[in-house]
Structures are given as C-alpha cells and as structure tokens.
Amino acid sequence: IVSFSSIDTDGNGKIDKNELLTLISSFYTIIEGMNIEIDININDFCDNIFNSMDENGDGFITKEEFFKASLSSFLPGLG
C-alpha cells in the first residue's frame, strides 16, 4: 500500500506530476527486474492516472482527491 505522504516527497501537502512519475517509474523498475514485459509509455500512463485523480485540474493531487480516487476502486459509487 502506498501512502499519500510517501508520494508527496516535498511535503507540501500535494502530489505533483513529477512525484507521481517517480512512483510509477519505481514500480516499473521493480516489474522489469522480475522479467515481466510491459509495453507502456510511462509518461502517458502517468498523465492518464494524474489527470483522472486531479479533479479540479489545478496540476496537483490533494489528499482529498487522492483518497477519493483510491477508494473509488473499492466503492465505485463514490466518484
């Protein structure tokens, strides 16, 4: 499980696209190390995830947006 604070590496209370890209790149590196092939463009993948979570389009994911997006996968009616 990934916590909000572990992604918000500068501690400003918001996740920017670079912070999310760092996380996704780390996951990708782990997956590659397991010899699992994934044919994705990491930047496009990051953009898609970021844009789906950044509800107000301000260029940041707030704690509220993060938790709402995280919970919506378990509670589809939430979003």
Side-chain angles (χ1 to χ4, degrees):
I1 295 177
V2 177
S3 70
F4 182 89
S5 59
S6 67
I7 305 170
D8 177 24
T9 55
D10 63 9
N12 68 352
K14 302 179 276 187
I15 297 171
D16 63 36
K17 199 172 284 188
N18 286 330
E19 289 169 322
L20 185 60
L21 182 59
T22 298
L23 174 72
I24 292 170
S25 296
S26 296
F27 284 152
Y28 187 75
T29 300
I30 291 168
I31 292 168
E32 280 185 322
M34 298 169 65
N35 294 320
I36 299 171
E37 287 188 39
I38 298 179
D39 186 23
I40 62 167
N41 179 297
I42 294 175
N43 289 309
D44 290 345
F45 185 67
C46 179
D47 286 345
N48 289 336
I49 292 172
F50 190 89
N51 292 334
S52 71
M53 295 178 82
D54 180 19
E55 290 184 340
N56 63 4
D58 67 353
F60 297 99
I61 299 169
T62 63
K63 282 185 182 181
E64 180 181 328
E65 290 169 328
F66 178 81
F67 289 116
K68 188 173 180 182
S70 299
L71 287 175
S72 69
S73 63
F74 298 106
L75 304 169
L78 187 65

